């Protein structure tokens, strides 16, 4: 939503003249500061050249242009490369009706995900992407987690391991909860005592 909003601003017409006064670059830098995440943003023209970016790279060809073109051809607005998720949207000129002048791309480092994790005693959370074996987060030290059957929940001697597949853009990944049995069962014990 943020990318679509930014791409819809009249300021994006500066793409046509290669962001002459660098307003787009300033906008992208402010948005990166606002989000306070490990991201980079790029405004690309239709020839895959960087017109403005948070990395201060300009006039270079976007390094992941081939993956971007493949995603566009597939009809999706994202792609993965190593540990990064790339989200993008078209930039349409408000001066020339429906003319695509480029793309706004956000490179989102998946190591940002632990910011959204549960921080509670007796519970650990791991984000797992089987396609590239990427594991983000931590499990309990005394229990090496085997993730061959990452889509199956199971109970070990000390832990409950619960898995949930992401929806949407991250649907190739899983959230894996590892909960100490003592923590999981304490609620049940309290409930039974109450009854």
């Amino acid at each position: 939503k943020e990318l679509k909003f930014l791409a819809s601003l009249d300021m994006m017409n500066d793409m046509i003249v290669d962001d002459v006064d660098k307003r787009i670059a300033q906008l992208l830098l402010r948005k990166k500061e606002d989000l306070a995440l490990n991201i980079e943003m790029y405004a690309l023209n239709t020839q895959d050249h960087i017109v403005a970016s948070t990395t201060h790279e300009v006039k270079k060809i976007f390094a992941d242009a081939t993956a971007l073109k493949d995603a566009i051809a597939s009809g999706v607005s994202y792609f993965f490369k190593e540990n990064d998720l790339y989200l993008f949207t078209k930039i349409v000129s408000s001066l020339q009706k429906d003319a695509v002048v480029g793309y706004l791309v956000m490179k989102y480092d998946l190591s940002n995900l632990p910011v959204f994790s549960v921080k509670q005693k007796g519970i650990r959370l791991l984000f797992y992407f089987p396609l590239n074996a990427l594991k983000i987060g931590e499990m309990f030290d005394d229990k090496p987690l085997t993730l061959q059957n990452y889509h199956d929940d199971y109970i070990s001697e000390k832990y409950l391991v619960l898995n949930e597949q992401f929806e949407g853009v991250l649907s190739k990944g899983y959230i894996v909860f590892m909960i100490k049995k003592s923590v999981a069962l304490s609620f049940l014990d309290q409930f039974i005592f109450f009854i």
Side-chain angles (χ1 to χ4, degrees):
K1 289 180 181 176
E2 290 282 341
L3 285 178
K4 285 182 179 180
F5 169 73
L6 293 175
S8 72
L9 297 174
D10 285 341
M11 174 189 308
M12 289 299 171
N13 288 316
D14 291 359
M15 292 279 296
I16 298 166
V17 289
D18 285 339
D19 194 20
V20 166
D21 57 2
K22 307 299 179 221
R23 294 189 311 161
I24 297 173
Q26 291 169 359
L27 175 69
L28 298 181
L29 285 166
R30 278 197 307 268
K31 181 50 68 178
K32 179 180 176 176
E33 285 176 17
D34 289 348
L35 294 174
L37 293 170
N38 186 13
I39 63 168
E40 298 300 342
M41 298 178 80
Y42 305 89
L44 311 176
N45 65 19
T46 53
Q47 292 80 42
D48 304 321
H49 286 88
I50 300 170
V51 174
S53 78
T54 55
T55 63
H56 305 293
E57 287 182 81
V58 288
K59 307 225 185 253
K60 295 181 181 179
I61 291 196
F62 182 56
D64 298 304
T66 303
L68 175 65
K69 286 185 187 297
D70 290 345
I72 293 166
S74 299
V76 294
S77 60
Y78 64 91
F79 63 91
F80 290 89
K81 185 137 187 222
E82 296 169 4
N83 297 346
D84 297 311
L85 165 64
Y86 290 78
L87 303 167
F88 62 90
T89 191
K90 288 186 230 178
I91 300 172
V92 180
S93 171
S94 61
L95 302 173
Q96 303 165 345
K97 184 114 171 125
D98 299 327
V100 176
V101 295
Y103 289 88
L104 188 58
V105 180
M106 180 173 69
K107 177 181 173 184
Y108 182 89
D109 187 334
L110 291 173
S111 66
N112 288 313
L113 290 176
V115 170
F116 306 105
S117 70
V118 174
K119 308 257 192 294
Q120 189 173 341
K121 185 178 178 185
I123 300 176
R124 293 289 186 271
L125 179 68
L126 179 78
F127 298 100
Y128 181 58
F129 296 87
L131 289 179
N132 57 358
L134 175 64
K135 297 174 190 172
I136 301 167
E138 58 186 52
M139 293 287 105
F140 292 107
D141 295 333
D142 63 334
K143 170 69 173 155
L145 185 64
T146 55
L147 292 167
Q148 292 91 348
N149 296 323
Y150 47 84
H151 52 279
D152 295 330
D153 296 339
Y154 65 91
I155 300 173
S156 72
E157 207 174 288
K158 290 182 173 179
Y159 304 103
L160 301 174
V161 180
L162 309 171
N163 306 277
E164 185 70 33
Q165 190 169 7
F166 282 110
E167 293 179 1
V169 172
L170 295 175
S171 64
K172 303 240 188 294
Y174 291 81
I175 303 171
V176 182
F177 285 97
M178 187 178 197
I179 307 165
K180 286 187 176 179
K181 272 186 177 177
S182 59
V183 171
L185 297 177
S186 68
F187 170 76
L188 186 57
D189 290 341
Q190 290 171 18
F191 180 71
I192 290 170
F193 179 73
F194 172 75
I195 295 297

